[in-house]
C-alpha cells in the first residue's frame, strides 16, 4: 500500500508511466550473440562492487613500509605501502584474496567480452547507418578498458607490474618531441616517481570509471532509442523486431545471465590463482623477472616489442627510438582503423541506407578477409609475447624462434585473410550452405571477378540463372531502368511475378532489397521489360482533345456553381445550392 501510493505520487509529478510502459514493451532479439554486450556490462558491475571493497584496504602510496603479516618470507621486509597493503589484503584480510582475484578476473572477462562483442558487430555489419555513433562509443570503451586494466594491474607495485609500467613509460617516451613531456606529466616526475602510484589510483578508481559509466549510459540509451538490429529470418524485416519483450521474459533471462556471470567470476576468483604478487616480490628498478607476461589484453604490445628489430631512425635532429613503431604506431593505427572503418566501408560501397537487418559474414568477402587478417596478426603477437616460455618448452634457441615468428607475423595474416576472402566469396556465389560443402567449381568461381557489377558496387551478381536447391524455379531478376535499378521476384512453376515497389540507385541496393524480401533466392541480371511504345499521331491528337474537353467541362461547372451562389435561394427557406 505504501509503495503503491509512493509510486502513484511520483508518477503524478513526473509522468513516468508512459515512458515506463514503452520501455517495458521494447522487443529484443533472442539470438545468443546479443548477450555478449550484457556479459561485458555485468562484468563491469562486478568490477565496481569488488573494487569498492578493495579500496578500503589498499594504500595508494610509494612510501616505505615494513611488512608484518602472515606471509612469512616477507615478514619484516621494507617495501612500498602499496605492495605491503596488497600482500596484507591477500593474506590477512578476510575474503581479501577472493575479492582481489575476482576483481582481476572480472577485468579480464570485461575486456574479452568487449572484444568478442566488437568482433560480432564488425562481421555482421551492425556498425552501419544509423549505428556509427554506437560503434565509436564501443571502440572508445575498449580503449578505456585497456587503459584501466593496465593501471589496476600496475598499482600493487610488484616486480612484474613494475616491469610492465617501465615498458609503457619507455614506449611513451619514444614518441618524438612530446613523449618525454607526456611521461613526466603522467607520472609527476622521472620514473619511478613518488606520485606514480597515487596518480594511477585516481585514474583507476575515479577518472576512467566515471567516463566508462557515462559511455555505457550513452550506449544503452542509443540502443533503447534506436530499433534493435537482428539477423534475417522468417517475419524479420527492416521495419520490425522479432523477439521477446523487455518485461518479463527478457528481464528474467538477463537477470539469470547476471547471476551466472557473477557466479563464474567468483568461482574463478576462489579456485584459479591469478597475479600472486607475493611470489614476484616488490618492484625494484635494478631487478627483473623472467618469464614475464602481462594480462592477455596487453600481451600483443609485448609481443610486438619482442618481434620488432632494434631499428632507430633519425628525422632531422630528432631520434625515433625502436619502441616507437611496435609500441605506439601499431596500436595507434589499429584503433584509428577501427574508428574509421564504418566511414571507409560506406565510402567504398556508396551505401548510405539505414540497416536494421544484419549481414551474414559471407555476404561481404572484403570485410571478412580484412577482419580475419587483423585477428591473425594480433594472435601471432600474443604468441610472440611468450617466446621465452615456448623456446624453453621446445628446447630451441629463443633467437631462432624470434626469426620464425617474424616471418609468420608478416605472412600468416595475408594467407588467412586471402583464404577467408575466397571462402566467403565462394559461399556467397555458390550453392553450399557451409564451408564443408564447397566444391572445386565454387572455389574456381570465387577466384573470378564478379560479373554484372556495372556500377562499382560490391554486390556479387551472376549473369546465368542458378536455381536454389530447395526452391527450384525461383529467382530475383535485376535490370537497369534509366539511372535507377529495379527488381522483381519470379516463380516460374507457379507463374508468379512480383515487382519491387521501390527503385534503387545502384545494382547493389536493388540486390540487397531483394535479398531482404526473399532470402535464399538466387539473383540474375536481365534486360528488363521493354519501354512503352510512343503513341501515334492520331492517338496523340485524341489524347490532347480529351484533356482539353475535360478542362473546359471543369471550367463550365465552376462558373455555374459560382453563379448559383451569387443568385441565392429561389424560395424562402430553401437552402442555397
Amino acid at each position: 500500500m505504501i509503495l503503491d501510493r509512493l509510486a502513484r505520487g511520483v508518477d503524478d509529478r513526473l509522468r513516468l508511466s508512459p515512458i515506463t510502459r514503452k520501455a517495458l514493451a521494447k522487443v529484443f532479439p533472442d539470438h545468443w550473440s546479443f548477450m555478449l554486450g550484457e556479459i561485458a556490462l555485468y562484468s563491469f558491475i562486478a568490477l565496481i562492487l569488488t573494487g569498492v571493497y578493495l579500496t578500503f584496504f589498499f594504500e595508494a602510496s610509494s612510501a616505505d613500509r615494513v611488512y608484518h603479516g602472515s606471509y612469512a618470507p616477507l615478514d619484516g621486509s621494507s617495501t612500498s605501502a602499496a605492495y605491503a597493503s596488497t600482500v596484507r589484503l591477500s593474506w590477512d584480510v578476510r575474503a581479501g584474496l577472493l575479492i582481489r582475484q575476482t576483481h582481476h578476473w572480472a577485468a579480464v572477462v570485461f575486456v574479452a567480452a568487449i572484444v568478442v562483442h566488437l568482433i560480432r558487430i564488425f562481421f555482421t555489419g551492425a556498425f552501419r547507418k544509423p549505428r556509427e555513433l554506437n560503434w565509436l562509443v564501443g571502440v572508445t570503451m575498449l580503449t578505456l578498458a585497456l587503459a584501466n586494466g593496465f593501471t589496476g594491474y600496475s598499482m600493487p607495485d610488484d616486480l612484474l607490474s613494475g616491469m610492465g609500467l617501465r615498458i609503457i613509460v619507455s614506449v611513451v617516451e619514444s614518441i618524438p618531441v612530446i613523449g618525454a613531456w607526456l611521461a613526466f606529466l603522467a607520472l609527476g616526475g622521472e620514473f619511478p616517481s613518488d606520485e606514480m602510484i597515487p596518480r594511477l589510483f585516481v585514474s583507476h578508481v575515479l577518472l576512467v570509471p566515471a567516463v566508462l559509466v557515462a559511455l555505457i549510459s550513452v550506449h544503452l540509451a542509443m540502443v533503447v532509442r534506436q530499433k534493435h538490429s537482428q539477423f534475417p529470418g522468417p517475419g524479420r524485416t527492416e521495419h520490425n523486431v522479432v523477439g521477446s519483450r523487455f518485461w518479463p521474459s527478457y528481464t528474467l533471462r538477463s537477470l539469470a545471465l547476471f547471476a551466472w556471470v557473477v557466479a563464474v567470476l567468483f568461482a574463478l576468483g576462489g579456485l584459479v590463482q591469478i597475479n600472486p604478487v607475493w611470489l614476484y616480490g616488490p618492484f625494484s628498478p635494478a631487478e627483473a623477472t623472467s618469464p614475464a607476461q602481462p594480462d592477455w589484453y596487453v600481451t600483443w604490445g609485448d609481443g610486438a616489442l619482442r618481434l620488432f628489430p632494434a631499428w632507430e631512425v633519425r628525422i632531422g635532429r630528432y631520434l625515433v627510438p625502436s619502441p616507437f613503431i611496435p609500441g605506439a604506431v601499431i596500436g595507434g593505427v589499429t584503433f584509428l582503423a577501427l574508428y574509421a572503418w564504418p566511414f571507409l566501408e560506406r565510402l567504398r560501397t556508396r551505401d548510405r541506407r539505414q540497416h536494421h537487418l544484419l549481414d551474414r559474414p559471407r555476404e561481404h568477402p572484403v570485410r571478412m578477409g580484412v577482419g580475419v587478417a587483423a585477428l591473425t596478426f594480433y594472435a601471432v603477437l600474443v604468441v610472440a609475447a611468450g617466446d621465452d616460455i615456448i623456446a624453453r618448452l621446445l628446447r630451441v634457441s629463443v633467437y631462432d624462434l624470434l626469426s620464425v615468428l617474424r616471418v609468420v607475423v608478416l605472412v600468416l595474416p595475408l594467407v588467412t585473410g586471402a583464404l577467408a576472402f575466397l571462402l566467403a566469396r565462394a559461399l556467397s556465389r555458390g550453392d553450399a550452405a557451409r564451408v564443408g560443402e564447397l566444391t572445386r567449381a565454387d572455389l574456381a568461381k570465387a577466384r573470378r571477378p564478379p560479373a554484372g557489377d556495372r556500377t562499382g558496387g560490391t554486390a556479387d551478381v551472376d549473369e546465368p540463372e542458378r536455381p536454389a536447391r530447395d526452391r527450384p524455379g525461383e529467382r530475383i531478376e535485376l535490370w537497369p531502368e534509366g539511372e535507377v535499378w529495379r527488381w522483381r521476384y519470379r516463380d516460374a512453376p507457379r507463374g508468379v511475378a512480383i515487382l519491387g515497389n521501390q527503385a534503387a540507385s545502384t545494382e547493389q541496393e536493388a540486390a540487397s532489397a531483394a535479398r531482404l524480401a526473399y532470402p535464399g533466392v538466387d539473383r540474375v541480371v536481365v534486360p528488363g521489360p521493354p519501354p512503352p511504345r510512343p503513341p501515334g499521331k492520331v492517338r496523340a491528337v485524341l489524347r490532347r482533345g480529351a484533356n482539353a474537353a475535360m478542362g473546359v467541362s471543369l471550367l463550365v461547372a465552376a462558373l455555374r456553381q459560382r453563379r448559383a451562389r451569387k443568385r441565392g435561394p429561389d424560395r424562402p427557406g430553401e437552402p442555397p445550392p
Side-chain angles (χ1 to χ4, degrees):
M1 179 68 83
I2 297 177
L3 294 177
D4 183 64
R5 289 183 178 180
L6 180 61
R8 290 181 181 275
V10 173
D11 185 60
D12 289 341
R13 289 157 178 81
L14 301 179
R15 300 295 181 185
L16 296 176
S17 55
I19 302 175
T20 304
R21 291 193 192 98
K22 185 177 180 180
L24 294 179
K26 184 176 178 61
V27 178
F28 289 85
D30 293 328
H31 199 272
W32 63 268
S33 64
F34 293 100
M35 294 292 184
L36 295 172
E38 296 190 25
I39 294 176
L41 174 62
Y42 297 148
S43 299
F44 182 71
I45 294 175
L47 275 170
I48 293 178
L49 296 177
T50 54
V52 170
Y53 182 86
L54 295 177
T55 56
F56 295 149
F57 306 98
F58 180 74
E59 186 176 354
S61 174
S62 301
D64 291 336
R65 292 286 187 275
V66 177
Y67 171 77
H68 293 290
S70 301
Y71 187 62
L74 282 177
D75 191 28
S77 301
S78 178
T79 66
S80 65
Y83 183 78
S85 63
T86 304
V87 177
R88 188 177 299 109
L89 175 64
S90 304
W91 285 80
D92 299 303
V93 175
R94 181 167 303 207
L97 182 60
L98 172 65
I99 300 299
R100 192 177 74 83
Q101 294 196 150
T102 302
H103 185 77
H104 201 130
W105 278 113
V108 172
V109 174
F110 176 55
V111 180
I114 294 178
V115 171
V116 178
H117 184 55
L118 282 176
I119 290 174
R120 197 273 299 174
I121 292 174
F122 179 83
F123 284 112
T124 59
F127 54 81
R128 296 172 298 175
K129 186 178 180 181
R131 296 176 179 83
E132 301 98 332
L133 184 58
N134 236 349
W135 170 264
L136 299 181
V137 170
V139 174
T140 305
M141 284 195 292
L142 174 60
T143 307
L144 294 176
L146 294 175
N148 215 39
F150 184 78
T151 55
Y153 174 81
S154 303
M155 283 194 309
D157 200 31
D158 59 284
L159 185 57
L160 183 60
S161 66
M163 287 181 56
L165 189 58
R166 176 193 285 271
I167 293 173
I168 290 295
V169 171
S170 301
V171 170
V172 174
E173 290 178 339
S174 69
I175 301 175
V177 183
I178 62 173
W181 294 96
L182 290 177
F184 190 90
L185 178 64
L187 301 179
E190 297 288 342
F191 178 86
S193 66
D194 294 335
E195 297 294 327
M196 182 174 63
I197 294 179
R199 295 194 178 194
L200 291 174
F201 181 77
V202 172
S203 173
H204 182 76
V205 305
L206 179 62
L207 298 181
V208 177
V211 178
L212 279 174
V213 169
L215 291 178
I216 290 173
S217 302
V218 171
H219 184 78
L220 294 177
M222 286 191 291
V223 169
V224 173
R225 183 69 180 88
Q226 296 173 341
K227 185 169 57 178
H228 211 294
S229 60
Q230 60 183 346
F231 287 98
R236 300 171 184 173
T237 68
E238 294 278 6
H239 309 289
N240 69 348
V241 178
V242 178
S244 304
R245 292 183 180 272
F246 179 73
W247 179 265
S249 57
Y250 192 84
T251 302
L252 295 177
R253 188 161 62 240
S254 185
L255 290 176
L257 179 63
F258 173 68
W260 271 106
V261 169
V262 174
V264 170
L265 291 177
F266 271 90
L268 289 172
L271 301 176
V272 182
Q273 186 183 73
I274 188 170
N275 200 25
V277 295
W278 56 89
L279 298 179
Y280 305 145
F283 173 67
S284 174
E287 297 180 4
T289 180
S290 181
Q293 281 74 32
D295 286 335
W296 74 270
Y297 48 84
V298 289
T299 305
W300 58 270
D302 191 9
L305 290 169
R306 298 188 185 204
L307 289 183
F308 197 80
W311 293 345
E312 293 184 347
V313 181
R314 184 172 293 277
I315 303 177
R317 60 190 184 91
Y318 295 104
L319 176 67
V320 180
S322 59
F324 175 65
I325 294 179
V329 173
I330 292 179
V333 170
T334 300
F335 277 94
L336 285 177
L338 287 175
Y339 277 113
W341 182 266
F343 311 101
L344 294 176
E345 183 170 302
R346 186 174 65 186
L347 182 65
R348 176 182 176 272
T349 61
R350 299 194 294 274
D351 183 5
R352 300 183 180 275
R353 296 170 298 128
Q354 292 195 1
H355 294 273
H356 301 290
L357 284 178
L358 301 174
D359 294 329
R360 301 176 72 183
R362 66 175 64 180
E363 295 173 358
H364 289 266
V366 173
R367 186 197 301 159
M368 188 72 176
V370 172
V372 171
L375 291 176
T376 304
F377 176 76
Y378 278 95
V380 176
L381 292 184
V382 171
V383 173
D387 57 355
D388 49 351
I389 299 177
I390 298 174
R392 187 176 63 182
L393 293 176
L394 298 179
R395 297 182 180 180
V396 297
S397 170
V398 68
Y399 297 104
D400 294 339
L401 183 61
L402 275 177
S403 300
V404 173
L405 290 175
R406 284 170 179 168
V407 176
V408 171
V409 77
L410 297 176
V411 175
L412 188 59
L414 298 177
V415 174
T416 57
L419 182 62
F421 172 81
L422 292 175
L423 292 178
R425 178 180 278 187
L427 288 171
S428 63
R429 294 183 182 181
D431 300 328
R434 55 183 62 89
V435 176
E437 298 178 3
L438 288 174
T439 62
R440 185 174 300 178
D442 294 331
L443 296 176
K445 188 184 300 181
R447 290 194 294 269
R448 296 196 298 266
D453 195 5
R454 300 178 179 85
T455 61
T458 59
D460 295 338
V461 182
D462 299 324
E463 292 289 350
E465 179 181 358
R466 296 177 291 101
R469 289 180 176 179
D470 54 342
R471 305 170 74 169
E474 298 182 58
R475 70 177 186 177
I476 297 295
E477 298 175 342
L478 310 171
W479 70 88
E481 188 174 291
E483 297 182 355
V484 299
W485 279 78
R486 293 192 176 274
W487 64 274
R488 65 178 168 229
Y489 165 77
R490 180 180 295 277
D491 188 350
R494 295 188 295 173
V496 176
I498 303 176
L499 181 67
N501 58 357
Q502 289 184 350
S505 58
T506 64
E507 181 183 354
Q508 179 200 5
E509 292 184 6
S512 299
R515 183 171 60 250
L516 295 177
Y518 299 96
V521 180
D522 294 317
R523 306 181 300 276
V524 298
V525 176
V526 297
R533 296 176 56 187
K537 294 182 178 180
V538 177
R539 193 174 177 184
V541 170
L542 293 177
R543 181 177 296 177
R544 293 195 195 99
N547 292 335
M550 182 178 295
V552 171
S553 63
L554 291 175
L555 180 61
V556 171
L559 292 175
R560 289 186 62 184
Q561 187 176 10
R562 182 179 180 186
R563 192 174 170 189
R565 287 178 179 173
K566 288 183 178 180
R567 186 176 58 189
D570 295 337
R571 294 189 300 271
E574 181 180 0

